[in-house]
Amino acid sequence: MTDAAPKAQPDASTTGIAAELRKAVVGGLTRPRAYREQQLDALRRMLVQHVSAWESALRDDLGKSAIEAHLSEIGFTIAEARHARRSLRRWMAATPVPVPVALQPASARIVPEPLGATLVIAPWNYPLQLALGPVIGAIAAGNAVVIKPSELAPATSRLLATLVPQYLDPRSVRVVEGGVPETTALLEQRWDLIFYTGNGRVARIVAAAAAKHLTPTVLELGGKSPVYVHRSADIPAAARRIAWSKWLNAGQTCVAPDHIRVDREVEAELVEELRRATAEQLGDARTSPDYARIISAAHAERLQGMLADGTVVTGGEVDAEARYVAPTILTDVDESGAAMQEEIFGPILPVLPVDGVDGFLETMRGADKPLALYVFARDADVVRRVERETSSGAVGVNVALAQYGARTIPFGGVGESGSGAYHGRHSFEAFSHRKPVFSKPTAVDTLRMVYPPFTPWRERI
Ligand code: NAD
């Protein structure tokens, strides 16, 4: 990827795709609930009937074990599609809202309506879930959608391009494969919503392209999600939970803990417990069937460069060709090094001491707002202070990552970590316009009071 995206060579198959798909929405094809339900059922069947093909694509792209693939991608997306299907009638229903006395008699309701032709640009780290998750919202809300999978996860991208046309109606759902030139060509078109998941640099390119057409965007980005471990925490439990959430998908998870700030007096205990939890969960990670690989040799090399930013307590092995980076804990970390200046997005976990909650809060002042912030403490005052005195996409208390599984929670960032949110009903809302319909009977014309001439009012004032 380069900063200056090459001028796109529009491909005949993608030129005008937005305008073509918009017709499906404007013409009413995608609007009936029955159509949306049928498409959601088809999407679910596409996953259920090809589970082993999806597993194998995710193994090829990221070395994910079948169980991890199921938990975090295939099963997760099936459940999301099923939930949308079952909830659709409720989500589509108009919501009555009260009207102020001064405007009565009148009634008002909010009617969700589709936005139109939408574009979903997906990243490589959960290449199935992060492509189809937003698509479920798009379909449920009655939109047409183009899916642009990540070229860095080619097996999953190929499978999406093969199976989507077999299951979903090509008049309203398409897959366009490719990298920068293809995405640039798509971005030149007028969309009614662009849903982008990935990094902040490309998000700026997406937002600038969207601005040309006044297209709204949902930007699901990342950042350095910190963990604060207070001395009151249950240290062994904290270590188990942090280790699990960091090593899942070899740290290539947008809401994974990026680094830990820990009260100085419990740092040694936490590091020891992290080492123990890592050994318990993965044993020899190199041979563990439950440990994923890095997306590319180049990314493995990038991570290798960060190992020099601290003292390796455990891990540290890198085999870039095999895309393997061991789960690695770093102490004595240089804050000016890449490990603390960039989002790590891999299995390297720096541990840095702080002096109490004030010390932690100090590190957050003026920092970019992260996608998630985790606090491990049994002292309720500490938790409250962290919650009130920081800003992040979400806060996890004595837990990391698991909030992602609660579809009642809107998932999204703030500031540098993104804007807009989705999951469950929030996905439906992200892809809908909440249209107010206000109606006032004409039998008694109470508005007559505000028609000019304003003479009676003038006399009163
Ligand atoms: P990536 O490189 O796959 O890029 C994402 C998408 O952007 C791809 O489809 C790619 O083709 C497209 N793209 C890349 N360069 C482009 C350009 N110049 N113009 C137009 N499109 C372009 O993935 P990534 O960005 O490396 O993903 C990792 C980042 O995503 C991390 O920062 C991570 O935290 C974040 N992330 C966020 C979430 C979330 O839900 N908030 C989820 C996963 C990842």
Side-chain angles (χ1 to χ4, degrees):
M1 280 185 284
T2 52
D3 265 321
K7 182 75 188 146
Q9 298 299 316
D11 163 348
S13 65
T14 59
T15 314
I17 195 170
E20 191 189 328
L21 289 193
R22 187 174 292 107
K23 284 187 204 146
V25 183
V26 175
L29 173 74
T30 58
R31 284 181 180 244
R33 181 159 54 84
Y35 179 85
R36 307 183 196 190
E37 287 172 349
Q38 182 266 325
Q39 293 288 287
L40 290 169
D41 283 340
L43 186 147
R44 188 171 47 78
R45 277 201 312 281
M46 175 180 79
L47 296 171
V48 172
Q49 292 175 355
H50 298 276
V51 165
S52 55
W54 293 112
E55 284 172 3
S56 126
L58 292 165
R59 193 169 45 246
D60 289 354
D61 286 334
L62 285 143
K64 289 192 198 208
S65 73
I67 294 170
E68 184 174 326
H70 197 77
L71 282 177
S72 66
E73 302 233 41
I74 309 166
F76 188 97
T77 312
I78 290 172
E80 190 78 3
R82 190 184 296 120
H83 177 70
R85 165 74 169 82
R86 288 184 181 156
S87 313
L88 203 51
R89 180 192 290 268
R90 199 160 24 91
W91 293 349
M92 287 175 71
T95 314
V97 287
V99 173
V101 174
L103 288 171
Q104 284 179 10
S107 67
R109 62 209 155 85
I110 296 186
V111 182
E113 69 170 17
L115 291 169
T118 63
L119 172 63
V120 169
I121 305 176
W124 50 262
N125 61 329
Y126 288 85
L128 169 61
Q129 192 223 122
L130 296 176
L132 293 184
V135 168
I136 290 168
I139 293 174
N143 297 279
V145 57
V146 167
I147 312 165
K148 213 302 288 171
S150 176
E151 70 281 19
L152 298 184
T156 310
S157 175
R158 193 86 289 271
L159 195 56
L160 282 166
T162 306
L163 292 180
V164 165
Q166 291 174 26
Y167 282 82
L168 296 166
D169 184 350
R171 290 173 297 172
S172 64
V173 183
R174 300 276 177 82
V175 176
V176 175
E177 286 193 273
V180 176
E182 291 79 4
T183 316
T184 308
L186 287 171
L187 286 173
E188 280 167 5
Q189 302 180 35
R190 180 166 74 82
W191 299 93
D192 298 301
L193 177 79
I194 301 175
F195 190 110
Y196 170 79
T197 306
N199 67 70
R201 183 183 60 78
V202 175
R204 285 168 168 80
I205 297 173
V206 170
K212 288 198 183 120
H213 300 285
L214 285 183
T215 296
T217 55
V218 173
L219 302 173
E220 296 283 342
L221 315 178
K224 288 187 79 64
S225 297
V227 180
Y228 169 55
V229 181
H230 182 251
R231 59 186 173 277
S232 69
D234 176 338
I235 302 289
R240 285 193 300 274
R241 291 182 177 193
I242 295 168
W244 163 71
S245 55
K246 179 75 177 184
W247 310 142
L248 182 82
N249 200 26
Q252 300 162 109
T253 304
C254 51
V255 279
D258 181 88
H259 58 280
I260 302 176
R261 307 262 184 197
V262 54
D263 280 356
R264 199 175 295 282
E265 52 271 50
V266 291
E267 181 189 7
E269 185 190 352
L270 178 71
V271 169
E272 183 46 38
E273 291 295 341
L274 281 168
R275 193 212 303 256
R276 189 198 308 271
T278 304
E280 270 171 20
Q281 291 174 17
L282 296 172
D284 175 5
R286 177 103 207 202
T287 55
S288 166
D290 301 325
Y291 187 64
R293 292 296 179 266
I294 304 303
I295 190 69
S296 68
H299 278 252
E301 279 159 15
R302 179 184 68 84
L303 292 164
Q304 186 167 30
M306 292 180 175
L307 298 178
D309 294 338
T311 304
V312 173
V313 174
T314 184
E317 303 85 33
V318 176
D319 178 346
E321 273 312 294
R323 300 190 279 133
Y324 173 76
V325 176
T328 301
I329 299 168
L330 289 184
T331 54
D332 309 316
V333 179
D334 172 9
E335 294 243 14
S336 64
M340 288 307 292
Q341 294 300 316
E342 296 169 15
E343 178 180 357
I344 296 171
F345 218 56
I348 296 174
L349 183 55
V351 181
L352 301 96
V354 285
D355 294 312
V357 65
D358 287 308
F360 170 67
L361 291 171
E362 191 53 40
T363 66
M364 294 308 295
R365 268 182 209 116
D368 287 344
K369 296 177 179 180
L371 189 55
L373 185 153
Y374 302 115
V375 49
F376 287 79
R378 283 181 286 201
D379 181 331
D381 289 336
V382 168
V383 172
R384 209 168 303 120
R385 280 199 64 195
V386 170
E387 189 187 316
R388 287 191 187 157
E389 296 179 35
T390 61
S391 179
S392 57
V395 171
V397 180
N398 292 315
V399 69
L401 192 85
Q403 77 276 11
Y404 193 87
R407 65 170 71 92
T408 44
I409 294 177
F411 176 73
V414 57
E416 275 291 317
S417 55
S419 56
Y422 74 127
H423 283 183
R425 186 181 191 130
H426 309 289
S427 298
F428 175 86
E429 287 171 355
F431 281 89
S432 296
H433 165 54
R434 285 158 47 83
K435 182 167 77 178
V437 177
F438 181 79
S439 96
K440 192 162 171 57
T442 48
V444 189
D445 197 358
T446 51
L447 282 181
R448 191 189 296 273
M449 291 160 64
V450 291
Y451 301 153
F454 297 129
T455 323
W457 292 92
R458 259 186 224 108
E459 283 162 6
R460 269 198 236 169
I461 293 167

PDB file of all heavy atoms in Angstrom, residues 239-252:
ATOM      1  N   ALA A 239      -4.509 -11.793  34.200  1.00  0.00           N
ATOM      2  CA  ALA A 239      -3.499 -12.309  33.265  1.00  0.00           C
ATOM      3  C   ALA A 239      -4.127 -13.307  32.290  1.00  0.00           C
ATOM      4  O   ALA A 239      -3.845 -13.263  31.088  1.00  0.00           O
ATOM      5  CB  ALA A 239      -2.368 -12.970  34.046  1.00  0.00           C
ATOM      6  N   ARG A 240      -4.987 -14.190  32.800  1.00  0.00           N
ATOM      7  CA  ARG A 240      -5.621 -15.186  31.907  1.00  0.00           C
ATOM      8  C   ARG A 240      -6.465 -14.481  30.840  1.00  0.00           C
ATOM      9  O   ARG A 240      -6.428 -14.832  29.666  1.00  0.00           O
ATOM     10  CB  ARG A 240      -6.525 -16.129  32.709  1.00  0.00           C
ATOM     11  CG  ARG A 240      -5.775 -17.164  33.530  1.00  0.00           C
ATOM     12  CD  ARG A 240      -6.719 -18.242  34.044  1.00  0.00           C
ATOM     13  NE  ARG A 240      -7.780 -17.719  34.904  1.00  0.00           N
ATOM     14  CZ  ARG A 240      -7.652 -17.530  36.231  1.00  0.00           C
ATOM     15  NH1 ARG A 240      -6.510 -17.801  36.839  1.00  0.00           N
ATOM     16  NH2 ARG A 240      -8.665 -17.070  36.936  1.00  0.00           N
ATOM     17  N   ARG A 241      -7.224 -13.493  31.280  1.00  0.00           N
ATOM     18  CA  ARG A 241      -8.128 -12.817  30.332  1.00  0.00           C
ATOM     19  C   ARG A 241      -7.356 -11.959  29.324  1.00  0.00           C
ATOM     20  O   ARG A 241      -7.716 -11.903  28.151  1.00  0.00           O
ATOM     21  CB  ARG A 241      -9.144 -11.965  31.107  1.00  0.00           C
ATOM     22  CG  ARG A 241     -10.098 -12.853  31.869  1.00  0.00           C
ATOM     23  CD  ARG A 241     -11.148 -12.087  32.613  1.00  0.00           C
ATOM     24  NE  ARG A 241     -12.061 -13.046  33.254  1.00  0.00           N
ATOM     25  CZ  ARG A 241     -13.220 -12.721  33.780  1.00  0.00           C
ATOM     26  NH1 ARG A 241     -13.620 -11.475  33.780  1.00  0.00           N
ATOM     27  NH2 ARG A 241     -13.983 -13.644  34.321  1.00  0.00           N
ATOM     28  N   ILE A 242      -6.323 -11.304  29.814  1.00  0.00           N
ATOM     29  CA  ILE A 242      -5.533 -10.467  28.892  1.00  0.00           C
ATOM     30  C   ILE A 242      -4.812 -11.374  27.887  1.00  0.00           C
ATOM     31  O   ILE A 242      -4.796 -11.096  26.680  1.00  0.00           O
ATOM     32  CB  ILE A 242      -4.518  -9.593  29.668  1.00  0.00           C
ATOM     33  CG1 ILE A 242      -5.250  -8.582  30.561  1.00  0.00           C
ATOM     34  CG2 ILE A 242      -3.586  -8.873  28.692  1.00  0.00           C
ATOM     35  CD1 ILE A 242      -4.357  -7.874  31.575  1.00  0.00           C
ATOM     36  N   ALA A 243      -4.235 -12.478  28.385  1.00  0.00           N
ATOM     37  CA  ALA A 243      -3.496 -13.379  27.484  1.00  0.00           C
ATOM     38  C   ALA A 243      -4.435 -13.899  26.398  1.00  0.00           C
ATOM     39  O   ALA A 243      -4.123 -13.840  25.198  1.00  0.00           O
ATOM     40  CB  ALA A 243      -2.904 -14.537  28.282  1.00  0.00           C
ATOM     41  N   TRP A 244      -5.599 -14.375  26.794  1.00  0.00           N
ATOM     42  CA  TRP A 244      -6.549 -14.910  25.801  1.00  0.00           C
ATOM     43  C   TRP A 244      -6.893 -13.862  24.748  1.00  0.00           C
ATOM     44  O   TRP A 244      -6.843 -14.119  23.534  1.00  0.00           O
ATOM     45  CB  TRP A 244      -7.822 -15.389  26.514  1.00  0.00           C
ATOM     46  CG  TRP A 244      -8.964 -15.564  25.567  1.00  0.00           C
ATOM     47  CD1 TRP A 244      -9.095 -16.544  24.627  1.00  0.00           C
ATOM     48  CD2 TRP A 244     -10.116 -14.711  25.431  1.00  0.00           C
ATOM     49  NE1 TRP A 244     -10.270 -16.350  23.913  1.00  0.00           N
ATOM     50  CE2 TRP A 244     -10.911 -15.245  24.389  1.00  0.00           C
ATOM     51  CE3 TRP A 244     -10.566 -13.567  26.096  1.00  0.00           C
ATOM     52  CZ2 TRP A 244     -12.115 -14.659  23.999  1.00  0.00           C
ATOM     53  CZ3 TRP A 244     -11.762 -12.987  25.702  1.00  0.00           C
ATOM     54  CH2 TRP A 244     -12.517 -13.531  24.661  1.00  0.00           C
ATOM     55  N   SER A 245      -7.226 -12.648  25.221  1.00  0.00           N
ATOM     56  CA  SER A 245      -7.693 -11.638  24.271  1.00  0.00           C
ATOM     57  C   SER A 245      -6.561 -11.116  23.388  1.00  0.00           C
ATOM     58  O   SER A 245      -6.806 -10.654  22.273  1.00  0.00           O
ATOM     59  CB  SER A 245      -8.377 -10.482  25.007  1.00  0.00           C
ATOM     60  OG  SER A 245      -7.498  -9.946  25.976  1.00  0.00           O
ATOM     61  N   LYS A 246      -5.336 -11.198  23.880  1.00  0.00           N
ATOM     62  CA  LYS A 246      -4.209 -10.717  23.068  1.00  0.00           C
ATOM     63  C   LYS A 246      -3.748 -11.781  22.071  1.00  0.00           C
ATOM     64  O   LYS A 246      -3.436 -11.483  20.926  1.00  0.00           O
ATOM     65  CB  LYS A 246      -3.054 -10.326  23.984  1.00  0.00           C
ATOM     66  CG  LYS A 246      -1.802  -9.839  23.260  1.00  0.00           C
ATOM     67  CD  LYS A 246      -1.957  -8.430  22.697  1.00  0.00           C
ATOM     68  CE  LYS A 246      -0.661  -7.951  22.037  1.00  0.00           C
ATOM     69  NZ  LYS A 246      -0.745  -6.575  21.566  1.00  0.00           N
ATOM     70  N   TRP A 247      -3.699 -13.045  22.484  1.00  0.00           N
ATOM     71  CA  TRP A 247      -3.126 -14.067  21.590  1.00  0.00           C
ATOM     72  C   TRP A 247      -4.130 -14.570  20.558  1.00  0.00           C
ATOM     73  O   TRP A 247      -3.748 -15.184  19.569  1.00  0.00           O
ATOM     74  CB  TRP A 247      -2.548 -15.248  22.375  1.00  0.00           C
ATOM     75  CG  TRP A 247      -1.607 -14.894  23.498  1.00  0.00           C
ATOM     76  CD1 TRP A 247      -1.551 -15.530  24.712  1.00  0.00           C
ATOM     77  CD2 TRP A 247      -0.569 -13.900  23.526  1.00  0.00           C
ATOM     78  NE1 TRP A 247      -0.563 -14.961  25.493  1.00  0.00           N
ATOM     79  CE2 TRP A 247       0.053 -13.960  24.788  1.00  0.00           C
ATOM     80  CE3 TRP A 247      -0.110 -12.933  22.618  1.00  0.00           C
ATOM     81  CZ2 TRP A 247       1.099 -13.120  25.170  1.00  0.00           C
ATOM     82  CZ3 TRP A 247       0.928 -12.080  22.993  1.00  0.00           C
ATOM     83  CH2 TRP A 247       1.520 -12.188  24.248  1.00  0.00           C
ATOM     84  N   LEU A 248      -5.428 -14.324  20.785  1.00  0.00           N
ATOM     85  CA  LEU A 248      -6.437 -14.729  19.803  1.00  0.00           C
ATOM     86  C   LEU A 248      -6.074 -14.116  18.442  1.00  0.00           C
ATOM     87  O   LEU A 248      -5.753 -12.924  18.360  1.00  0.00           O
ATOM     88  CB  LEU A 248      -7.815 -14.215  20.251  1.00  0.00           C
ATOM     89  CG  LEU A 248      -8.976 -14.619  19.343  1.00  0.00           C
ATOM     90  CD1 LEU A 248      -9.436 -16.039  19.674  1.00  0.00           C
ATOM     91  CD2 LEU A 248     -10.157 -13.660  19.504  1.00  0.00           C
ATOM     92  N   ASN A 249      -6.120 -14.928  17.407  1.00  0.00           N
ATOM     93  CA  ASN A 249      -5.789 -14.462  16.046  1.00  0.00           C
ATOM     94  C   ASN A 249      -4.407 -13.796  16.030  1.00  0.00           C
ATOM     95  O   ASN A 249      -4.162 -12.858  15.271  1.00  0.00           O
ATOM     96  CB  ASN A 249      -6.866 -13.498  15.529  1.00  0.00           C
ATOM     97  CG  ASN A 249      -6.842 -13.370  14.014  1.00  0.00           C
ATOM     98  OD1 ASN A 249      -6.414 -14.283  13.308  1.00  0.00           O
ATOM     99  ND2 ASN A 249      -7.290 -12.244  13.510  1.00  0.00           N
ATOM    100  N   ALA A 250      -3.509 -14.311  16.903  1.00  0.00           N
ATOM    101  CA  ALA A 250      -2.133 -13.785  17.001  1.00  0.00           C
ATOM    102  C   ALA A 250      -2.103 -12.255  17.130  1.00  0.00           C
ATOM    103  O   ALA A 250      -1.275 -11.581  16.501  1.00  0.00           O
ATOM    104  CB  ALA A 250      -1.296 -14.267  15.813  1.00  0.00           C
ATOM    105  N   GLY A 251      -3.023 -11.754  17.945  1.00  0.00           N
ATOM    106  CA  GLY A 251      -2.993 -10.317  18.247  1.00  0.00           C
ATOM    107  C   GLY A 251      -3.521  -9.429  17.144  1.00  0.00           C
ATOM    108  O   GLY A 251      -3.528  -8.201  17.283  1.00  0.00           O
ATOM    109  N   GLN A 252      -3.997 -10.018  16.056  1.00  0.00           N
ATOM    110  CA  GLN A 252      -4.467  -9.216  14.918  1.00  0.00           C
ATOM    111  C   GLN A 252      -5.971  -8.961  15.053  1.00  0.00           C
ATOM    112  O   GLN A 252      -6.778  -9.343  14.214  1.00  0.00           O
ATOM    113  CB  GLN A 252      -4.138  -9.935  13.609  1.00  0.00           C
ATOM    114  CG  GLN A 252      -2.634 -10.163  13.454  1.00  0.00           C
ATOM    115  CD  GLN A 252      -2.306 -11.228  12.425  1.00  0.00           C
ATOM    116  OE1 GLN A 252      -1.810 -10.909  11.366  1.00  0.00           O
ATOM    117  NE2 GLN A 252      -2.586 -12.486  12.719  1.00  0.00           N
TER     118      GLN A 252
END
